[in-house]
């Protein structure tokens, strides 16, 4: 059967009202030829819609939630999967990051979201695979015209120096040179951080409430005290984001009946041995005590019973996904997606639609939409004479560059030293 005929068959099956079998989620096979009559299809007409999400091309409906997986892999990112990062966009215009792990920053650009509209990050715990790209996004955002402070929510630790506030203060110290380079060159109000540290013991307590959106935190069990999970409630929709954790009573109770419940489903212990070189003991401890194995994930979801369960935090490949799925299916038979980067979930009360994004590798980060604010140039930190005297200006090369842009844009700028 050709691919086209296979698509028509699946589409017609769906239209006829039969369940599409053997799929772990309802992928909504839509087909232009099915709508217009399969017999009308011709190679000169647009190809059938393969149900791909093209970033930046779809308006979010007022009652709709869109969740984008921007990092679904392991602590060491790889081209296919960054470390943990999830974007939640709401029909009211709000956008939230849940974790911002190593390697995810480039995936933000791939979603064509202007930086001046993302200013809220919720960190589940302070492992680098859950906030390693925060500095890059924070300071990169200032050059991309984020004109409001970056707002960070994260848990306390068992002592003050293990909490989010301490980490953010040290992060600002760590990047003092970077920050100094921007003084007086760009408006730097987007470089401010607004940090809200909440108790890691918060027991399904509200840590954010604005604009009809409520976000709660509850504890997770991972490594040492100070890891949490989140619930976002909006418009009668519930999204649960589990940070790293062993199976725990809080998730099972508070995630119950969620529309979308995300929870780690770590690389199976057998694969930790064969693929990662772990000893059997290491694999068992890491894979079932510090984290949640696929079989444990299945058990958790069999108790939570969400509309859609989403597993992540493993290398999701042709040979690992079947192992995870077989383990999960021992105990959980509900809707399931095993996430990979760029998977997109459109959620309403009536429907949950799961697709993959079409990604343009050549994409530029989105240009700012808001007008820029002129910087205070008095704040520029001057270079020393030692450095400036090393400058080789090449006036015969530089002047034509200025002349060219002045001619195109009707300006009259002069090279440094010529003003
Ligand atoms: Zn962790
Ligand atoms: Zn992790």
């Amino acid at each position: 059967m050709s691919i086209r005929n296979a698509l028509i068959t699946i589409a017609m099956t769906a239209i006829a009202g039969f369940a599409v079998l053997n799929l772990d989620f309802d992928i909504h096979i839509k087909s232009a030829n099915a709508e217009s009559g399969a017999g009308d299809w011709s190679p000169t007409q647009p190809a059938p819609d393969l149900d791909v999400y093209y970033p930046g091309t779809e308006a979010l409906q007022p009652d709709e939630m869109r969740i984008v997986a921007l990092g679904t892999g392991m602590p060491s990112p790889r081209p296919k999967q960054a470390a943990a990062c999830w974007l939640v966009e709401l029909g009211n215009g709000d956008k939230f990051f849940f974790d911002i792990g190593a390697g995810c920053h480039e995936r933000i650009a791939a979603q064509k979201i202007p930086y001046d509209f993302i200013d809220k990050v919720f960190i589940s715990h302070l492992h680098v695979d859950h906030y390693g790209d925060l500095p890059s996004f924070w300071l990169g955002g200032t050059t991309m015209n984020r004109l409001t402070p970056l707002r960070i929510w994260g848990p306390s630790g068992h002592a003050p120096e293990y909490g989010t506030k301490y980490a953010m203060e040290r992060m600002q110290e760590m990047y003092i040179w970077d920050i100094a380079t921007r003084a007086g060159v760009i408006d730097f109000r987007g470089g401010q951080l607004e940090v809200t540290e909440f108790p890691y013991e918060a027991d399904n307590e509200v840590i954010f409430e604005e604009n009809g959106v409520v976000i709660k935190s509850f504890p997770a069990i991972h490594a040492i005290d100070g890891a949490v999970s989140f619930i976002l409630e909006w418009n009668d929709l519930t999204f649960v984001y589990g940070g790293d954790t062993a199976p725990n009573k809080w998730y099972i109770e508070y995630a119950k009946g969620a529309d979308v419940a995300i929870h780690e489903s770590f690389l199976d212990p057998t694969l930790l041995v064969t693929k990662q070189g772990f000893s059997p003991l290491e694999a068992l401890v890491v894979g079932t005590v510090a984290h949640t194995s696929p079989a444990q994930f299945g058990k958790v979801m069999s108790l939570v019973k969400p509309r859609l369960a989403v597993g992540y935090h493993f290398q999701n490949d042709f040979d690992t996904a079947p192992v995870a799925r077989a383990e999960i299916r021992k105990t959980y038979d509900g809707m399931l997606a095993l996430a990979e980067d760029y998977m997109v979930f459109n959620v309403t009360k009536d429907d949950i639609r799961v697709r993959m994004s079409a990604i343009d590798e050549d994409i530029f980060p989105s240009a700012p939409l808001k007008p820029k604010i002129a910087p205070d140039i008095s704040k520029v930190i001057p270079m020393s004479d030692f450095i400036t005297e090393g400058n080789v200006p090449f006036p015969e090369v530089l002047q034509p560059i200025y002349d060219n842009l002045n001619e195109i844009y009707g300006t009259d700028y002069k090279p440094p030293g010529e003003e």
Side-chain angles (χ1 to χ4, degrees), residues 73-75 83-84 99 125 127 129-130 222 243-244 264 266 291 312-313:
M74 292 284 263
D99 284 337
H125 65 295
H127 267 153
D129 61 316
H130 292 255
H222 179 60
D244 290 359
E264 67 153 290
F266 210 67
H291 291 280
Y312 81 109
H313 215 312

Short mmCIF file of all heavy atoms in Angstrom, two decimals, residues 73-75 83-84 99 125 127 129-130 222 243-244 264 266 291 312-313, ligand 2:
data_model
loop_
_atom_site.label_atom_id
_atom_site.label_comp_id
_atom_site.label_asym_id
_atom_site.label_seq_id
_atom_site.Cartn_x
_atom_site.Cartn_y
_atom_site.Cartn_z
N GLY A 73 15.00 14.99 27.24
CA GLY A 73 16.03 13.96 27.32
C GLY A 73 16.66 13.83 28.68
O GLY A 73 16.08 14.13 29.72
N MET A 74 17.89 13.40 28.65
CA MET A 74 18.64 13.09 29.86
C MET A 74 19.54 14.27 30.23
O MET A 74 19.66 15.24 29.49
CB MET A 74 19.45 11.82 29.62
CG MET A 74 18.58 10.59 29.47
SD MET A 74 17.92 9.99 31.04
CE MET A 74 19.10 8.70 31.42
N PRO A 75 20.24 14.18 31.37
CA PRO A 75 21.05 15.32 31.81
C PRO A 75 22.08 15.80 30.79
O PRO A 75 22.32 17.00 30.69
CB PRO A 75 21.72 14.79 33.08
CG PRO A 75 20.73 13.80 33.62
CD PRO A 75 20.13 13.15 32.41
N ALA A 83 17.83 18.72 27.56
CA ALA A 83 17.36 18.38 28.91
C ALA A 83 16.05 19.12 29.19
O ALA A 83 15.61 19.96 28.41
CB ALA A 83 18.43 18.70 29.93
N ALA A 84 15.47 18.87 30.34
CA ALA A 84 14.07 19.19 30.60
C ALA A 84 13.68 20.65 30.34
O ALA A 84 14.29 21.57 30.88
CB ALA A 84 13.73 18.85 32.05
N ASP A 99 10.84 24.35 33.89
CA ASP A 99 12.25 23.97 33.74
C ASP A 99 12.82 24.55 32.45
O ASP A 99 12.09 24.86 31.49
CB ASP A 99 12.46 22.46 33.82
CG ASP A 99 12.37 21.95 35.26
OD1 ASP A 99 12.60 22.77 36.18
OD2 ASP A 99 12.09 20.76 35.47
N HIS A 125 13.72 21.85 40.29
CA HIS A 125 14.83 21.62 41.23
C HIS A 125 16.10 22.09 40.56
O HIS A 125 16.14 22.38 39.36
CB HIS A 125 14.91 20.16 41.66
CG HIS A 125 15.23 19.18 40.58
ND1 HIS A 125 14.40 18.94 39.51
CD2 HIS A 125 16.30 18.35 40.39
CE1 HIS A 125 14.92 18.02 38.72
NE2 HIS A 125 16.10 17.65 39.22
N HIS A 127 18.99 20.89 39.67
CA HIS A 127 19.91 20.11 38.84
C HIS A 127 20.11 20.83 37.52
O HIS A 127 19.17 21.39 36.95
CB HIS A 127 19.35 18.70 38.58
CG HIS A 127 19.81 17.67 39.56
ND1 HIS A 127 19.07 16.55 39.87
CD2 HIS A 127 20.96 17.58 40.29
CE1 HIS A 127 19.73 15.81 40.75
NE2 HIS A 127 20.87 16.42 41.02
N ASP A 129 20.36 19.87 34.58
CA ASP A 129 19.52 19.48 33.44
C ASP A 129 18.11 20.05 33.55
O ASP A 129 17.29 19.84 32.66
CB ASP A 129 19.49 17.96 33.24
CG ASP A 129 18.94 17.20 34.42
OD1 ASP A 129 19.30 17.52 35.57
OD2 ASP A 129 18.14 16.26 34.20
N HIS A 130 17.85 20.83 34.62
CA HIS A 130 16.54 21.46 34.75
C HIS A 130 16.62 22.99 34.77
O HIS A 130 15.58 23.64 34.74
CB HIS A 130 15.81 20.91 35.98
CG HIS A 130 15.43 19.48 35.79
ND1 HIS A 130 14.15 19.06 35.53
CD2 HIS A 130 16.18 18.35 35.75
CE1 HIS A 130 14.13 17.75 35.36
NE2 HIS A 130 15.35 17.30 35.49
N HIS A 222 13.66 13.31 45.34
CA HIS A 222 14.74 13.22 44.35
C HIS A 222 16.05 13.71 44.96
O HIS A 222 16.18 14.90 45.25
CB HIS A 222 14.36 14.08 43.14
CG HIS A 222 15.37 14.10 42.04
ND1 HIS A 222 15.76 12.97 41.38
CD2 HIS A 222 16.05 15.12 41.47
CE1 HIS A 222 16.66 13.30 40.45
NE2 HIS A 222 16.86 14.59 40.50
N GLY A 243 8.57 17.24 38.15
CA GLY A 243 10.01 17.29 38.07
C GLY A 243 10.56 15.92 38.42
O GLY A 243 9.81 14.97 38.66
N ASP A 244 11.86 15.80 38.47
CA ASP A 244 12.45 14.49 38.77
C ASP A 244 11.94 13.99 40.12
O ASP A 244 11.90 14.73 41.10
CB ASP A 244 13.97 14.58 38.81
CG ASP A 244 14.55 14.83 37.44
OD1 ASP A 244 13.78 14.90 36.46
OD2 ASP A 244 15.79 14.95 37.34
N GLU A 264 8.27 12.03 34.84
CA GLU A 264 9.42 11.34 34.28
C GLU A 264 9.16 9.85 34.14
O GLU A 264 8.46 9.23 34.95
CB GLU A 264 10.66 11.60 35.13
CG GLU A 264 10.64 10.99 36.51
CD GLU A 264 12.06 10.70 37.02
OE1 GLU A 264 12.68 9.77 36.47
OE2 GLU A 264 12.52 11.40 37.95
N PHE A 266 12.01 7.35 33.36
CA PHE A 266 13.45 7.32 33.13
C PHE A 266 13.85 6.13 32.24
O PHE A 266 13.06 5.20 32.05
CB PHE A 266 14.16 7.23 34.48
CG PHE A 266 15.51 7.87 34.55
CD1 PHE A 266 15.65 9.26 34.44
CD2 PHE A 266 16.65 7.10 34.71
CE1 PHE A 266 16.89 9.84 34.51
CE2 PHE A 266 17.91 7.69 34.79
CZ PHE A 266 18.03 9.07 34.68
N HIS A 291 14.98 8.14 40.48
CA HIS A 291 14.06 8.44 39.38
C HIS A 291 12.93 7.41 39.34
O HIS A 291 12.85 6.55 40.24
CB HIS A 291 14.82 8.44 38.04
CG HIS A 291 15.78 9.59 37.92
ND1 HIS A 291 15.39 10.86 37.58
CD2 HIS A 291 17.13 9.66 38.11
CE1 HIS A 291 16.45 11.66 37.54
NE2 HIS A 291 17.52 10.96 37.87
N TYR A 312 8.62 11.33 29.96
CA TYR A 312 9.80 11.98 29.36
C TYR A 312 11.01 11.66 30.23
O TYR A 312 10.93 10.92 31.20
CB TYR A 312 9.58 13.49 29.22
CG TYR A 312 9.82 14.27 30.50
CD1 TYR A 312 10.93 15.11 30.63
CD2 TYR A 312 8.97 14.15 31.58
CE1 TYR A 312 11.17 15.81 31.81
CE2 TYR A 312 9.19 14.84 32.76
CZ TYR A 312 10.30 15.68 32.87
OH TYR A 312 10.54 16.36 34.03
N HIS A 313 12.15 12.28 29.88
CA HIS A 313 13.41 12.12 30.62
C HIS A 313 14.07 10.78 30.31
O HIS A 313 14.55 10.08 31.21
CB HIS A 313 13.20 12.29 32.13
CG HIS A 313 14.37 12.95 32.85
ND1 HIS A 313 15.67 12.56 32.65
CD2 HIS A 313 14.43 13.97 33.74
CE1 HIS A 313 16.47 13.30 33.39
NE2 HIS A 313 15.75 14.18 34.06
ZN1 LIG B 2 16.57 15.49 35.51
#
